[in-house]
Amino acid sequence: AKLAAVLGSLCAGGFGAQAVSADNSALEEVIVTAGKRGEQNLQDVAISMSVLGGDSLDASSLTGVVEALSGVAGLNLYEEQLGGGFKPSMRGVTAGGSLFGGSNTVGYYIDDAPWGFVKSSIVPDANPYDLERVEVLRGPQGTLYGASALNGVIRVLTKDANLDEFDLKARVSMSSTSGADNGHRADMAINMPIIDGKLAARLVFGRNDESGWIDKPDGDGENANHSDSTNWRLKIGAQPTEKMRIDFTASHSRSDYGAPSVAYDDGTSTAVFDEPLSVDYDLYGLVINYEFETFNLRSSTTSIDYFSDGAVDYATLAPLDSAFDTQVFSQELNATSTLDGPWQWTAGLFYRDAEDDLAQEIAAFDIAEGTLSTSKSFAVFGEISRRLMDDQMELTAGLRYFEDEVGETYMPGTEGSTTDVVTYTNVSPRLVLSWFPKDELTVYGSISEGFRSGQNASVLVLAEDPDFPSANEDTLLSYEVGAKGTMLNGRLAFDTAIYYMDWEDVQQSLNVEVMPDLYAPTVINGDSASGVGIDLDLTLAVTDRLQLGFDASWNDLTSDADVKTDGFVLIPQGERLGDSPETTLGLSFDYYLNLGSSNLEGHLSGSVNYHSELVSRSVNASGITEWAGDDMLITRLSFAVKSDNLTSTIFIDNAGDEDGATAVFPEDPLLSSRIRPRTVGVQFQYQY
């Protein structure tokens, strides 16, 4: 049973805006590491990008990184009920289904750890506290980031341990949601040098209790969808020599939900059984950097253990219990040149071993089954760049070879296991020509390809039809022209791109009847989808006290031919794919003011975020059924007062009390995913 939903908590659009410098109204420089060339100015990177600053996230009322990301132009994330994660969509490109519908189309990293399950497109939420920044790369990134980066990458970068300075900060908040109980949250971070300049530790702890607002007739009853989350992160940094840096990370997250955020328009659910869900993961990472004379060598080793255990009401007949256990190990070795001349290069090796273990049970009907999905992949990649015409132009060429062995073992409750294994390979190119006519402007044109590994057919389907084909890998080729830079003496920053996408062998999720009235999800290839699009991101420092932000993304990605199954047209030619928003828009403002003659400073901020409706489709014996969610408009307001080390904030999230359906629940067109109603709260933040 596959239950898809959409996260509706869209964040304020101004979190990624560049800060205003202290002495004038010019915007400060933003540093990123997305190009795997070390630190670079955002303006010099020939990729359409958005950056969310860690300090702004600390000061916000956001409870998770997913909320922040949902305000980025062209990006949406959708909540999955069973897996406890969120399905990303970039520029309208997303997987055919959250669970069992193919792997991610958007790469997702927490520091160096690449999240990505074998046959499911979900990523975890993360605590937005004490982050360095979040980088969002739009468009295919297959050369540097691999198989999951079909049309974009998200990088959540936490703060490293500071070897030289003691740091202590904390925040607490209390909130009240319309039609719900009260909620509260607390976060703390401490950085402690152990040996000055040589060894330090950084510890972060968070606790978040969110009230529920959806009522059920029985079971959990009133305010059923409450949640409790706890997380901690330890980072140890060491610099044994001037040229070597070692960083170790250990983090843990645990979230418990009383029920999914699915309801009718009046905020009620007809589910009669309890629907609890728990999600927890452990992440370990070891990064070693060494500076040689002409290049830097970086080794990154990561391990992820993700587990979710939950139940959903199966057509009000019985609870369907699902346990999803995933282990992912990865190793990347990356070398980057540090030459002074016109040539620069990056080369690397990558290995990943992933296992997804799914067990499902409907005890009332004596139904139990399990599936083990595996992936062992290897890649070698490189990019080389040459500056031309007195450094006014740069030509970059890149290539990645990828090989993936994907397997699936079906473990029914009453029979022996069945296994199927398929190997996929791909070569992904990238070519970029950048022009730097002046220091404040970068213009680029690029041709880049992203790819996603194929999927072997469900062994349940193969048992009924041994000739059912495996799904091939799909590829997305993007032709893009963009410009980014600053104007008006540095007061206006812009990043804009126009592109054409050609998505071949589109993987789509399909439920195939394997027994009377019993369907198994599997992945098939459609023909192709294509379309043009545009991204625009503007930040304007009107004065040294007033900053405005605007972002927009639009695409017309549609199917190039009818996608058919069993005589039915699953997706008609010229129609959008499932869960693919056409338009996202965001407006934000920040205004700073002095409060009298004291040292108090006020900060008034607000935002409006919009995304167009999402369409979902389901196929069964009677044909195709299509549902559409609502256009969503989310507003936020806050006012903060800062005095020395203390900041006090009043905030209103979802100020317009938007209650539309972000996505429709397939079993009942009236039962839909909902966002949190209007929430009013206060927050106190301390910085040592």
Side-chain angles (χ1 to χ4, degrees):
K2 185 174 62 176
L3 307 173
V6 175
L7 174 77
S9 301
L10 298 179
C11 82
F15 296 120
Q18 293 165 276
V20 180
S21 62
D23 55 350
N24 56 54
S25 58
L27 297 168
E28 292 182 349
E29 181 179 87
V30 176
I31 300 299
V32 297
T33 55
K36 294 191 176 183
R37 294 189 185 181
E39 294 186 343
Q40 292 179 279
N41 185 348
L42 173 63
Q43 179 183 302
D44 297 333
V45 181
I47 300 171
S48 177
M49 285 185 62
S50 292
V51 178
L52 313 180
D55 292 341
S56 295
L57 292 171
D58 282 354
S60 74
S61 59
L62 300 174
T63 59
V65 168
V66 167
E67 283 187 284
L69 291 171
S70 296
V72 173
L75 177 62
N76 291 86
L77 291 105
Y78 316 105
E79 186 177 8
E80 163 58 45
Q81 287 179 269
L82 286 178
F86 303 86
K87 186 179 76 161
S89 166
M90 186 82 76
R91 289 177 170 175
V93 175
T94 190
S98 298
L99 295 182
F100 329 120
S103 56
N104 279 335
T105 61
V106 179
Y108 186 89
Y109 290 74
I110 297 181
D111 290 326
D112 286 79
W115 288 82
F117 303 134
V118 180
K119 301 194 73 170
S120 297
S121 177
I122 55 175
V123 298
D125 201 358
N127 186 358
Y129 193 65
D130 198 50
L131 301 183
E132 189 66 42
R133 62 187 176 275
V134 180
E135 299 177 355
V136 179
L137 291 66
R138 288 180 283 264
Q141 307 296 329
T143 301
L144 290 180
Y145 289 95
S148 63
L150 182 72
N151 201 35
V153 168
I154 299 166
R155 304 179 72 222
V156 180
L157 305 177
T158 63
K159 285 185 180 292
D160 289 332
N162 189 317
L163 304 181
D164 302 307
E165 297 180 2
F166 174 82
D167 185 25
L168 173 65
K169 62 182 180 180
R171 69 178 183 183
V172 295
S173 69
M174 296 162 285
S175 62
S176 176
T177 298
S178 299
D181 299 325
N182 295 328
H184 57 274
R185 181 187 66 195
D187 296 286
M188 184 187 72
I190 182 170
N191 187 91
M192 178 72 72
I194 300 172
I195 302 175
D196 286 345
K198 294 293 184 179
L199 182 66
R202 189 176 192 92
L203 179 63
V204 183
F205 177 81
R207 170 79 183 183
N208 184 29
D209 296 331
E210 288 193 300
S211 57
W213 72 91
I214 291 174
D215 298 332
K216 298 170 63 175
D218 296 303
D220 290 324
E222 189 176 41
N223 300 335
N225 62 323
H226 56 84
S227 66
D228 300 317
S229 301
T230 303
N231 61 84
W232 61 262
R233 179 175 68 248
L234 173 65
K235 300 194 79 171
I236 299 175
Q239 189 150 4
T241 70
E242 183 180 348
K243 295 183 177 296
M244 176 181 283
R245 167 86 186 211
I246 302 173
D247 290 282
F248 170 77
T249 301
S251 63
H252 172 77
S253 175
R254 168 82 183 201
S255 299
D256 295 300
Y257 305 88
S261 299
V262 173
Y264 294 99
D265 287 338
D266 61 359
T268 64
S269 169
T270 57
V272 297
F273 295 98
D274 290 347
E275 299 179 293
L277 171 67
S278 64
V279 179
D280 60 295
Y281 66 82
D282 297 297
L283 186 155
Y284 300 94
L286 179 65
V287 176
I288 302 175
N289 281 282
Y290 193 88
E291 299 178 7
F292 290 90
E293 184 174 349
T294 59
F295 68 95
N296 290 339
L297 185 64
R298 177 185 177 89
S299 170
S300 174
T301 308
T302 63
S303 175
I304 300 170
D305 188 351
Y306 178 94
F307 180 76
S308 68
D309 186 9
V312 294
D313 189 325
Y314 186 72
T316 70
L317 298 176
L320 167 65
D321 297 305
S322 297
F324 188 60
D325 190 3
T326 292
Q327 287 85 38
V328 181
F329 171 83
S330 69
Q331 171 67 53
E332 180 169 338
L333 194 64
N334 188 69
T336 304
S337 65
T338 54
L339 303 172
D340 292 331
W343 291 97
Q344 297 291 336
W345 55 265
T346 297
L349 300 171
F350 179 79
Y351 173 78
R352 176 176 175 267
D353 188 347
E355 290 188 355
D356 296 351
D357 191 353
L358 171 69
Q360 292 186 303
E361 179 183 22
I362 304 179
F365 298 153
D366 196 25
I367 297 175
E369 62 180 34
T371 303
L372 177 65
S373 301
T374 61
S375 169
K376 292 184 179 181
S377 60
F378 166 81
V380 56
F381 63 91
E383 279 195 349
I384 188 167
S385 299
R386 176 68 159 87
R387 287 277 180 144
L388 307 166
M389 298 176 60
D390 295 328
D391 290 343
Q392 283 198 324
M393 302 196 76
E394 182 179 71
L395 181 64
T396 300
L399 204 65
R400 187 186 191 100
Y401 171 79
F402 170 81
E403 184 175 301
D404 189 12
E405 183 181 272
V406 179
E408 180 176 291
T409 301
Y410 174 60
M411 297 167 288
T414 58
E415 304 174 15
S417 64
T418 305
T419 302
D420 183 61
V421 178
V422 181
T423 299
Y424 301 93
T425 61
N426 184 268
V427 176
S428 180
R430 180 172 184 251
L431 184 65
V432 184
L433 180 62
S434 303
W435 178 38
F436 311 98
K438 54 183 179 179
D439 292 341
E440 300 83 11
L441 179 62
T442 298
V443 180
Y444 66 90
S446 67
I447 303 173
S448 56
E449 183 180 84
F451 65 96
R452 181 169 50 152
S453 188
Q455 299 288 329
N456 45 357
S458 166
V459 290
L460 275 175
V461 175
L462 290 174
E464 295 298 314
D465 182 1
D467 296 325
F468 197 95
S470 299
N472 296 325
E473 65 271 13
D474 52 357
T475 60
L476 190 148
L477 191 62
S478 177
Y479 306 86
E480 182 169 327
V481 176
K484 56 174 64 177
T486 59
M487 301 172 61
L488 304 178
N489 295 321
R491 291 164 48 202
L492 174 65
F494 63 91
D495 186 341
T496 184
I498 184 169
Y499 55 88
Y500 174 78
M501 298 178 290
D502 185 8
W503 188 4
E504 295 290 336
D505 296 322
V506 178
Q507 293 181 29
Q508 291 292 305
S509 179
L510 179 66
N511 288 330
V512 178
E513 188 172 20
V514 294
M515 297 180 186
D517 297 324
L518 179 62
Y519 293 81
T522 193
V523 178
I524 63 171
N525 291 109
D527 186 9
S528 64
S530 61
V532 299
I534 187 169
D535 298 322
L536 176 63
D537 198 335
L538 301 173
T539 304
L540 174 63
V542 181
T543 68
D544 60 351
R545 297 187 178 276
L546 176 62
Q547 181 173 315
L548 304 178
F550 171 75
D551 62 73
S553 181
W554 170 87
N555 69 82
D556 73 342
L557 180 67
T558 55
S559 179
D560 293 333
D562 290 344
V563 178
K564 299 179 180 180
T565 175
D566 293 334
F568 300 119
V569 177
L570 180 64
I571 304 174
Q573 180 181 357
E575 293 292 322
R576 298 191 66 83
L577 307 180
D579 294 340
S580 174
E582 181 179 14
T583 304
T584 66
L585 296 170
L587 290 169
S588 66
F589 74 89
D590 291 272
Y591 182 68
Y592 299 86
L593 62 157
N594 290 327
L595 301 177
S597 58
S598 65
N599 63 343
L600 298 179
E601 183 183 64
H603 177 199
L604 178 65
S605 64
S607 67
V608 179
N609 287 101
Y610 165 86
H611 77 72
S612 54
E613 68 178 21
L614 305 176
V615 175
S616 60
R617 302 177 181 90
S618 180
V619 60
N620 51 46
S622 60
I624 304 295
T625 306
E626 181 176 294
W627 301 274
D630 297 321
D631 294 339
M632 303 299 295
L633 188 69
I634 312 300
T635 55
R636 292 179 180 270
L637 293 169
S638 69
F639 181 70
V641 177
K642 182 178 181 180
S643 174
D644 297 327
N645 298 338
L646 181 65
T647 302
S648 304
T649 305
I650 300 173
F651 62 86
I652 307 176
D653 295 337
N654 190 10
D657 204 20
E658 172 68 73
D659 62 354
T662 55
V664 176
F665 185 63
E667 301 298 331
D668 188 340
L670 298 179
L671 195 59
S672 308
S673 295
R674 306 290 171 177
I675 67 169
R676 179 170 292 276
R678 181 188 295 115
T679 299
V680 180
V682 294
Q683 177 171 284
F684 303 96
Q685 183 178 7
Y686 173 80
Q687 177 75 54
Y688 175 80

